[in-house]
Amino acid sequence: MSDTESPANGAADFVQSLDRGLRVIRAFSDRHDRLSMADVARATNQSRAATRRFLLTLESLGYLGVDDKRYYLRPRVLELGYAYLSSSTAVEVTQHYMEELSKELNESCSACAYDRGEIVYVARAAADRIMTVNIGVGRRLPAFATSTGRLLLSSLSPELLDDFFATYPRPALTNKTITDESELRALIATAGKQGWTINDEEFEQGVRAVAAPVYDANGVMWAAVNISVPASRASMKELESKFLPRLLEVTQQISRDIKR
């Protein structure tokens, strides 16, 4: 459900006020870290009166601070994400293996889950290299243009995949970004069949990535793990010959450990 959608038919127990309050929290980001009441009202498509009530409530609960009539997130918001991370054995296991893999290869590794047309970073092991994109746990990126996103999209049912293409925009992020639906569907299908995929500077110029899936105890693709490499350091062939075999070993081990 998007921020502007209504709950599905039959969702009689849906608490709309809670949904609207959470929209206020989601309005903040690294690019919009301090927002006025009017900013939040526009971002959440709510009246200023309703927005004011939500902002004051969240401020009194300690989730927001205010300075010169501009609101900002306070550290207590981290409790919401930490509850998920600390309750998930899968995250803990994945983080451990990714840190070892990152040290071994001296490259950055990330684990992502799918959520409404985007990938969400649930674990990250960064190499000591400078990248132009600031990525950390909780960061959201468009699924269609990322290696992990392609794999996660391959796990969707045909109906959900159709909904993805009908609902979510696919802007060109670099001169190599693939936006054509037919081409993307073919790449997603291939990723699902072969169990891995490679991305060639589609999300960020100068960065290539290879991704492989991680399965939970029920055999469901819980996340996808990738290794991202500066294009100047590895060709597409090197990604497949040098990095992919090791990544597949690690993701298979993660899946085995999660199932225990």
Side-chain angles (χ1 to χ4, degrees):
M1 185 190 306
S2 70
D3 283 352
T4 58
E5 288 177 334
S6 299
N9 292 335
D13 296 327
F14 186 85
V15 182
Q16 190 175 52
S17 59
L18 176 59
D19 171 52
R20 294 168 69 189
L22 291 173
R23 288 189 207 176
V24 171
I25 292 177
R26 294 197 300 270
F28 294 86
S29 68
D30 57 341
R31 291 182 297 174
H32 303 97
D33 58 341
R34 289 180 177 261
L35 299 173
S36 67
M37 181 177 66
D39 293 332
V40 176
R42 282 193 296 271
T44 59
N45 195 28
Q46 298 180 135
S47 70
R48 293 181 65 142
T51 300
R52 178 178 179 274
R53 291 195 297 272
F54 288 121
L55 288 171
L56 292 176
T57 300
L58 290 168
E59 181 191 1
S60 68
L61 292 173
Y63 292 107
L64 295 181
V66 62
D67 180 27
D68 193 26
K69 297 184 180 181
R70 298 184 73 82
Y71 291 85
Y72 57 90
L73 297 178
R74 295 191 63 191
R76 190 173 186 184
V77 170
L78 295 173
E79 294 177 358
L80 302 176
Y82 180 74
Y84 167 75
L85 294 175
S86 62
S87 65
S88 175
T89 302
V91 171
E92 183 179 357
V93 171
T94 302
Q95 181 68 43
H96 167 73
Y97 280 104
M98 284 190 354
E99 288 174 359
E100 294 297 318
L101 184 61
S102 178
K103 289 178 184 177
E104 175 188 334
L105 301 176
N106 195 28
E107 303 292 354
S108 296
C109 301
S110 305
C112 304
Y114 177 79
D115 184 41
R116 299 179 183 182
E118 297 178 314
I119 56 167
V120 182
Y121 281 74
V122 296
R124 172 84 170 158
D128 187 19
R129 300 188 186 282
I130 297 174
M131 297 298 226
T132 61
V133 177
N134 180 25
I135 294 176
V137 172
R139 181 70 185 270
R140 304 174 71 94
L141 300 176
F144 81 97
T146 60
S147 59
T148 52
R150 296 265 176 83
L151 270 179
L152 292 163
L153 288 170
S154 75
S155 70
L156 298 182
S157 67
E159 294 77 17
L160 287 177
L161 189 60
D162 288 343
D163 179 69
F164 167 81
F165 280 106
T167 305
Y168 300 103
R170 302 185 300 277
L173 304 175
T174 74
N175 60 4
K176 291 189 175 182
T177 305
I178 297 170
T179 61
D180 178 73
E181 180 176 340
S182 297
E183 192 171 356
L184 282 172
R185 282 184 179 272
L187 289 170
I188 290 167
T190 298
K193 289 177 182 177
Q194 67 187 13
W196 57 273
T197 190
I198 288 181
N199 182 292
D200 184 18
E201 303 182 73
E202 290 185 54
F203 173 71
E204 182 184 4
Q205 201 76 38
V207 179
R208 293 179 172 133
V210 58
V214 173
Y215 297 94
D216 65 17
N218 297 313
V220 175
M221 192 186 300
W222 167 78
V225 173
N226 80 353
I227 302 171
S228 56
V229 182
S232 60
R233 284 175 46 80
S235 66
M236 294 290 282
K237 288 184 177 180
E238 287 173 321
L239 266 184
E240 188 172 339
S241 63
K242 177 181 176 182
F243 295 97
L244 176 61
R246 189 71 184 100
L247 177 62
L248 289 172
E249 290 176 357
V250 170
T251 52
Q252 289 164 10
Q253 185 61 57
I254 294 172
S255 297
R256 286 194 292 268
D257 283 6
I258 289 174
K259 293 175 183 178
R260 290 174 182 170

